[in-house]
Amino acid sequence: MAERRTQSGIPVQAVYAPSDLDGFDYTRQLNDPGSFPFTRGTRAQTAARTGWIQRELSGEGSPTRSNEQLKYLLAKGQTGLDVIGDTPTMGCLDPDHPFAVHAVGTQGVSICCLDDYRELYRDLPLDRITLSHSLPAAFALAGLYCVARERGFPPAAVRGSVIQAPYYCEDCSYAVHMPFQLRVRMAADTIAFASTEMPKFHAFLEDTYFISESGLDSVEEMALGFIEIRGLVRELLRRRLPIDRFAPRIAILLNCRMDFFEEVAKIRATRRLFAHMMRDEFGAQDPRSWAVNIAAHTSGLSLTAQQPVNNVVRGAIQALALACAGVQAIEVSTFDEAFRTPSPEAHLVGLRTQQVIELESNASQVADPLGGSYYVEALTDDLERRIWDMVQAIEAKGDAAQLSDSGWFRGVFQAAMERHARAIADGAALKVGLNVHQVPDAEDVLLREVAERKIEPSRERIDWVKGYRLHRDTAALRASLEGLDGCARDRDANLLPGIIAATLAGATMGEMAGVLRRAYGHPGDPFGVASDAI
Amino acid sequence: MRPIRVLIAMLGLDQHEVGGLAVARLLRDAGMEVVYAGRFNLPAGIVKVSLEESVDVIGLSCHSWEYLYYVDELLQLLHEQGLDTPVVVGGSVVTPADARNLLDRGVGAAFGPTAVPAEIIAKMIQLAGGRT
């Protein structure tokens, strides 16, 4: 028989016994849920029964259409919202950008200005649900802040999160075409702003999900995640922001692949590593700064276009692992993700998967149910060691800006993509229906019809935004963009007040991003085809 | 004889590269030369690179529906330039109905997510060899 290994290639034994946990110390390594080092969970056991936030990644077409989609999911029992932008939005481009024409609204919501945020959140109880955003953080936070105030909800009471990915976004599907220093500044400014103005909001949601969808293994995923967290923490400390002011609102959005026990162990190891790092290295004193909130998406990369119904099974296994690991929020990647933006049917299956696990399996009524397993504890220790070793090794290579600019990070992602493809091609990684237990195409018909339904680009948004531009107070708009420019050129200022002022004056995200890029010596339009706002 | 040269590109704002890089690796391993144009290409840019690099096949890797709209423009531009470079479309979002439709529109080959490596390599060789 082949050597036993986890999905990340960690050697494992046929069976584990007490001898594999020599010197095991319950209080030091685990402790009770809610107690340092939080291996078993961030909350005390009595609170663990409240379950997790159940949500599906959504957003399609215009903000109005996305708002309807959000209301549909809430009506089906979803307990939080999770919105992603379309590809132009994720790249800080407006819908009327020449490159956006065939991509508006097909893979997420098209959103670029204050009117759009008003529509997206229309009628939603901003004080009662959590709003999670996979959108360019500084602009999305500004949009939410303005709408909350306008509707009479104190921003300080708004809960939710926005992803941060300044180190890696250019290399992994979310390129915003901005230099490293500006990306880091925007992330740090957003986090600093939220720490005083929106203290219940997780503006520091480290997103290791999307970077690992290139094929990173669990160790690489978390090591790169810690590299980015540590970089941003150091940047915020350099600004003399007290660690306990922002650390309680650091959260991680991570990936859950198919290796059930490895993913559970990864999450437990991550909580322990984070707690030690915050307390022992960064000197945090507030226990809330030691306990990191974890949200997760089940892996889209683990899904197959072949026999898509098998993806329902994959989602259930992954979500069960997350329930056993004890996370704060789950999103199940839909069974049709391998070939399309989620259909309403697939969204509902993802949500129902979570509801079945929570309400029928009883898996989550006991905190950390796998704690004490010889295997899970040995694997947790092993992962903790490997992740930390990789963090040290990367930091020894030098400064993150240089690693980013020189393409070193990109090389890591590229190697992972090629490794993943090879493992599938040569059968080292088995995927049912893809490279083992295949069926002829003619037999592969179940749930197939949803693949043929496509989302048309929302090209009406192009004319809409052009019209929007014409009906603004140009003097006020110009003044606000010049204000943002001045703010950007003052490297010690926080960009958020400038972004909020420009948003209120009617500026679009594309215009503001252009101002910021130029203030850092880059072309306002990364593709050199659109004109500058001022 | 010089090896077959294949351009691999993504269209528009489609940023997913997992498939494109996998196919690039596959073709290189099969002895072909790959000109990797990466992300953020419009049809005009693809035609320009394919001319400059004198590629034998243009391969478009798709994980968004943008190709549905860009392919006709690309074929038209190639035609206007008097180029007969075959265009191959591949990707997770290409369904059997899409593949039939693409062939009708003049694409040389279309591969969905169930395509096997040997099939892709054989088709590339056939398309490259069939050029005048």
Side-chain angles (χ1 to χ4, degrees):
Chain A
M1 138 143 220
E3 197 182 354
R4 292 181 171 86
R5 287 180 182 276
T6 66
Q7 194 176 340
S8 296
I10 299 173
V12 292
Q13 304 160 195
V15 67
Y16 284 77
S19 56
D20 294 302
L21 299 178
D22 266 355
F24 185 81
D25 179 334
Y26 178 80
T27 311
R28 189 171 56 81
Q29 283 162 276
L30 301 186
N31 213 345
D32 295 341
S35 300
F36 191 90
F38 302 97
T39 315
R40 311 197 68 190
T42 55
R43 288 182 268 187
Q45 196 168 357
T46 45
R49 283 219 57 179
T50 56
W52 61 90
I53 298 165
Q54 299 173 354
R55 61 195 185 201
E56 291 295 307
L57 195 61
S58 34
E60 65 174 51
S62 65
T64 307
R65 192 160 126 203
S66 299
N67 175 264
E68 287 163 11
Q69 190 186 32
L70 297 176
K71 287 174 184 164
Y72 164 84
L73 288 165
L74 286 173
K76 298 294 182 203
Q78 187 165 279
T79 54
L81 300 178
D82 196 357
V83 180
I84 187 164
D86 63 5
T87 52
T89 301
M90 298 311 284
C92 298
L93 303 173
D94 292 338
D96 57 346
H97 188 282
F99 268 66
V101 59
H102 300 315
V104 182
T106 58
Q107 291 182 310
V109 61
S110 168
I111 189 162
C112 72
C113 63
L114 185 55
D115 274 13
D116 287 346
Y117 284 96
R118 288 178 177 133
E119 281 302 308
L120 181 70
Y121 301 127
R122 183 174 292 282
D123 306 325
L124 298 177
L126 301 184
D127 55 340
R128 284 191 285 114
I129 47 169
T130 65
L131 305 138
S132 182
H133 303 80
S134 288
L135 287 169
F139 302 111
L141 192 88
L144 176 59
Y145 178 85
C146 293
V147 173
R149 270 206 319 200
E150 191 174 275
R151 289 182 43 199
F153 298 113
V158 172
R159 292 173 303 134
S161 60
V162 66
I163 61 164
Q164 297 287 3
Y167 280 21
Y168 312 121
C169 59
E170 295 301 310
D171 300 321
C172 299
S173 304
Y174 288 163
V176 291
H177 320 283
M178 291 178 182
F180 185 87
Q181 302 303 344
L182 174 57
R183 283 160 17 218
V184 169
R185 177 182 178 189
M186 290 176 77
D189 284 356
T190 308
I191 296 162
F193 176 84
S195 74
T196 55
E197 302 300 316
M198 299 175 72
K200 290 195 170 168
F201 192 85
H202 289 90
F204 194 159
L205 178 62
E206 168 62 34
D207 188 351
T208 66
Y209 173 78
F210 89 100
I211 61 171
S212 51
E213 281 294 274
S214 61
L216 296 183
D217 64 33
S218 294
V219 174
E220 294 166 329
E221 174 195 358
M222 297 324 304
L224 289 175
F226 274 109
I227 288 289
E228 191 166 64
I229 290 172
R230 293 160 64 78
L232 283 174
V233 166
R234 291 188 186 114
E235 170 62 19
L236 291 158
L237 294 176
R238 190 188 63 77
R239 298 167 172 215
R240 307 204 177 283
L241 206 64
I243 184 89
D244 287 319
R245 171 91 61 79
F246 65 89
R249 293 296 168 206
I250 300 176
I252 302 175
L253 173 61
L254 50 72
N255 197 348
C256 186
R257 305 169 188 72
M258 282 305 290
D259 192 320
F260 189 96
F261 294 104
E262 179 169 71
E263 295 300 326
V264 171
K266 174 188 84 180
I267 291 167
R268 300 170 87 249
T270 295
R271 285 195 291 251
R272 186 155 74 205
L273 277 169
F274 187 91
H276 279 288
M277 177 179 82
M278 279 299 158
R279 188 190 69 177
D280 305 337
E281 186 177 347
F282 292 120
Q285 290 174 357
D286 182 343
R288 296 178 309 143
S289 298
W290 308 332
V292 67
N293 273 326
I294 291 180
H297 287 196
T298 63
S299 168
L301 190 66
S302 72
L303 306 181
T304 60
Q306 295 82 354
Q307 303 173 51
V309 71
N310 297 343
N311 295 333
V312 178
V313 180
R314 294 187 177 102
I317 290 170
Q318 293 162 337
L320 181 62
L322 292 167
C324 291
V327 299
Q328 273 69 50
I330 299 177
E331 185 260 358
V332 174
S333 286
T334 55
F335 69 75
D336 54 2
E337 175 159 327
F339 41 77
R340 59 161 292 166
T341 307
S343 61
E345 295 89 337
H347 262 150
L348 194 55
V349 173
L351 180 58
R352 291 292 183 254
T353 302
Q354 301 197 46
Q355 292 164 333
V356 167
I357 290 170
E358 185 196 4
L359 303 173
E360 300 182 21
S361 79
N362 288 339
S364 59
Q365 70 176 346
V366 172
D368 192 31
L370 299 173
S373 148
Y374 306 125
Y375 174 40
V376 170
E377 296 305 347
L379 192 56
T380 301
D381 291 351
D382 202 343
L383 276 156
E384 179 186 21
R385 208 164 29 243
R386 286 168 187 266
I387 292 166
W388 203 244
D389 286 350
M390 190 170 177
V391 168
Q392 305 297 314
I394 295 173
E395 290 194 343
K397 287 182 191 304
D399 160 64
Q402 196 265 328
L403 293 177
S404 174
D405 292 342
S406 68
W408 190 84
F409 288 134
R410 183 167 170 76
V412 172
F413 299 124
Q414 200 150 330
M417 290 184 217
E418 292 199 5
R419 184 182 63 203
H420 173 77
R422 268 183 210 277
I424 298 289
D426 66 20
L430 294 176
K431 293 302 295 179
V432 171
L434 200 167
N435 59 7
V436 61
H437 302 306
Q438 301 97 322
V439 297
D441 284 354
E443 284 178 36
D444 189 359
V445 293
L446 188 57
L447 300 183
R448 188 61 59 210
E449 71 282 4
V450 297
E452 296 292 350
R453 297 201 314 260
K454 300 191 162 50
I455 298 175
E456 290 282 320
S458 299
R459 296 207 185 84
E460 73 283 358
R461 288 273 300 158
I462 298 172
D463 285 337
W464 182 87
V465 79
K466 283 180 177 163
Y468 175 85
R469 289 188 207 285
L470 295 177
H471 293 92
R472 299 178 293 186
D473 175 343
T474 46
L477 174 69
R478 193 182 176 84
S480 77
L481 289 175
E482 282 166 358
L484 179 60
D485 178 61
C487 185
R489 287 174 200 277
D490 174 1
R491 300 293 197 250
D492 294 326
N494 188 307
L495 291 168
L496 261 291
I499 291 173
I500 288 167
T503 301
L504 289 169
T508 64
M509 176 164 67
E511 291 165 344
M512 292 187 276
V515 165
L516 297 176
R517 290 189 191 105
R518 271 182 289 112
Y520 276 74
H522 282 243
D525 175 29
F527 301 111
V529 291
S531 52
D532 290 331
I534 52 170
Chain B
M1 205 176 90
R2 79 174 178 92
I4 295 170
R5 283 167 75 80
V6 182
L7 178 73
I8 297 286
M10 285 103 227
L11 285 164
L13 296 176
D14 182 1
Q15 296 206 34
H16 295 84
E17 291 185 272
V18 176
L21 284 168
V23 171
R25 170 55 58 195
L26 176 75
L27 300 181
R28 282 188 182 122
D29 288 351
M32 301 182 203
E33 280 182 9
V34 172
V35 178
Y36 188 73
R39 304 173 289 178
F40 311 125
N41 300 284
L42 294 185
I46 289 173
V47 171
K48 186 163 174 282
V49 177
S50 67
L51 260 176
E52 286 168 359
E53 299 282 345
S54 35
V55 300
D56 301 305
V57 182
I58 296 171
L60 304 175
S61 170
C62 308
H63 194 75
S64 86
W65 290 315
E66 288 163 87
Y67 79 90
L68 289 168
Y69 312 97
Y70 281 126
V71 157
D72 287 337
E73 188 185 340
L74 175 62
L75 292 171
Q76 179 64 31
L77 286 175
L78 287 170
H79 180 73
E80 284 169 15
Q81 298 272 335
L83 294 170
D84 64 350
T85 319
V87 174
V88 174
V89 175
S92 58
V93 293
V94 179
T95 69
D98 294 331
R100 286 191 297 275
N101 181 270
L102 285 165
L103 296 180
D104 288 346
R105 284 153 70 180
V107 160
F111 296 107
T114 58
V116 293
E119 188 188 348
I120 297 172
I121 293 167
K123 196 71 194 176
M124 291 292 187
I125 292 170
Q126 185 209 329
L127 288 170
R131 298 185 66 210
T132 49

